[in-house]
Amino acid sequence: MELNLRYDMNSPPFGAPHPALYRAAIEQAAWADRQGFDQVFLAEHHGAEHGYCPSSMVLASAVFGVTKDILVHLSALVVTLHDPLRLAEDLAVLDNISNGRIVFTAGMGYRPHEFEMFGRDITKRLAIMNGTMETLAKAWTGEPFEYDGRTVRVTPKPVRPGGPKIYMGGSTDKSAIRAAKAGYQYFPGHPDLFEIYKAEREKAGFPPPEQLLKPGPSFLYVSDDPDRDWPKLAPHIAYATNTYAEWAKERGTGETRYAEATSLDALRAMPNIKVVTPDDCYGLIKGLGPDSQVTFHALLGGLDPELSWNSLRLFGEKVHPRLVADGLVRAPRG
């Protein structure tokens, strides 16, 4: 079983200010590293109305400065909006800073205004992505190669041979098929897409992929009094849920785990939103089984950092030790 954190830093006007959110994310990553968590997921979008993180690689560098073992997973890194050579350099440096702890899911992007912002043609995003992935592979050999009619070289070489571990991201059938045919591991926007991916990967002659871990709730909050905390959490959950649901419409097709919320009762009825006591949290996580992934979206919707910390600390004190005793998760690191 994996234990993870996730951050996107998106905060509405009623949410916490961004300096507080970024500082809390870094401090919580350090806490998670000591607890034995597996990964910190960092998301990326550009030009969003309320400050969605546009520079996940910079945030990753800060996280690596206060951690020793936890992986940082850029998910998704919108590779079509980055200069390929500079992207290769930045990721190679992150791999060196972290001693091989940087992982990323390569996203193609889907929001039209982001492509307009960077002067990219959204209709050519597949070709841009394919070209970028080819450039990364050549760049991370550390040897000179031809790029756009020039001989270039990217240094330093990554710590990990071949460069950071790459997943292909996507929320459509086509994304699953592309990842399979190219032999990449796949990180789907919805678990059902993984079955398409596995079948296509086998047809292409590649060995079986990594196991897709069963996801836990999209939002999990541990509380000693859920009825007291729900009204405090609801505006932030609703903002984030409605934002992702609205953005999904820009994709045109694809799967999302988020649906629009119109009331507190509607939020509480959502199966992927859980505000639970420590005992119920333990039961929920144990019920997911060992082949699962539990991710705390700890600052979702600009949640007040102290309210966020209340949940993490309660999990650390009342739930995590029981999961360690069951052999489901790692013990805290000394």
Side-chain angles (χ1 to χ4, degrees):
M1 175 180 288
E2 281 191 5
L3 289 177
N4 305 316
L5 294 174
R6 182 172 185 85
Y7 300 100
D8 62 27
M9 315 314 289
N10 205 23
S11 183
F14 58 83
H18 282 97
L21 291 175
Y22 277 98
R23 174 49 51 191
I26 295 165
E27 293 173 352
Q28 289 177 355
W31 170 86
D33 188 50
R34 296 191 299 269
Q35 286 289 123
F37 276 46
D38 297 277
Q39 299 188 70
V40 179
F41 287 89
L42 302 179
E44 172 192 278
H45 273 292
H46 302 270
E49 294 81 359
H50 297 133
Y52 203 108
C53 181
S55 190
S56 58
M57 289 185 285
V58 172
L59 181 54
S61 184
V63 169
F64 286 137
V66 297
T67 60
K68 295 181 180 179
D69 297 291
I70 199 166
L71 297 179
V72 172
H73 191 143
L74 308 179
S75 179
L77 179 63
V78 189
V79 300
T80 51
L81 302 180
H82 292 267
D83 177 84
L85 291 179
R86 187 55 191 265
L87 183 63
E89 291 177 330
D90 288 346
L91 288 168
V93 169
L94 281 175
D95 203 52
N96 278 269
I97 289 172
S98 65
N99 196 27
R101 290 188 285 132
I102 188 71
V103 178
F104 73 96
T105 296
M108 189 160 53
Y110 62 91
R111 304 200 71 199
H113 85 269
E114 294 184 314
F115 287 82
E116 293 169 5
M117 178 177 173
F118 288 96
R120 304 290 174 90
D121 186 346
I122 195 171
T123 66
K124 298 179 180 178
R125 57 183 177 163
L126 179 57
I128 296 171
M129 183 171 187
N130 290 339
T132 298
M133 302 310 290
E134 291 174 5
T135 298
L136 293 179
K138 294 175 182 177
W140 289 335
T141 65
E143 299 300 323
F145 65 100
E146 293 300 311
Y147 177 80
D148 199 21
R150 312 184 299 277
T151 299
V152 298
R153 185 177 188 178
V154 168
T155 60
K157 288 176 63 175
V159 170
R160 189 179 301 185
K165 187 174 184 178
I166 302 172
Y167 294 78
M168 295 299 288
S171 299
T172 64
D173 293 3
K174 290 182 180 179
S175 71
I177 294 169
R178 281 196 302 271
K181 289 183 176 180
Y184 286 105
Q185 299 297 326
Y186 185 55
F187 199 75
H190 191 281
D192 292 347
L193 296 171
F194 202 72
E195 297 306 315
I196 298 172
Y197 163 72
K198 285 199 301 183
E200 292 295 329
R201 184 180 169 94
E202 184 177 359
K203 290 179 188 176
F206 290 104
E210 294 179 4
Q211 180 182 10
L212 179 67
L213 298 178
K214 180 181 178 181
S218 297
F219 180 76
L220 175 61
Y221 187 91
V222 187
S223 169
D224 56 9
D225 188 345
D227 289 334
R228 178 200 66 207
D229 288 336
W230 254 114
K232 303 175 186 177
L233 300 168
H236 302 276
I237 301 171
Y239 165 75
T241 297
N242 291 340
T243 296
Y244 280 120
E246 188 65 28
W247 287 3
K249 297 175 185 177
E250 298 181 25
R251 192 182 289 121
T253 59
E255 299 286 347
T256 178
R257 297 182 70 195
Y258 291 93
E260 292 189 52
T262 57
S263 68
L264 176 57
D265 288 341
L267 282 173
R268 297 186 74 151
M270 287 184 176
N272 63 327
I273 305 294
K274 299 292 184 183
V275 180
V276 292
T277 65
D279 284 344
D280 287 342
C281 181
Y282 169 71
L284 185 158
I285 293 176
K286 188 171 182 180
L288 289 172
D291 299 325
S292 60
Q293 181 182 67
V294 176
T295 300
F296 288 88
H297 209 319
L299 297 169
L300 184 72
L303 193 63
D304 174 37
E306 192 53 42
L307 194 58
S308 173
W309 270 118
N310 289 344
S311 170
L312 293 180
R313 288 170 179 148
L314 197 56
F315 173 81
E317 294 168 5
K318 300 296 180 90
V319 182
H320 189 254
R322 298 169 70 180
L323 298 173
V324 171
D326 290 337
L328 289 173
V329 300
R330 292 189 182 97
R333 297 178 174 106

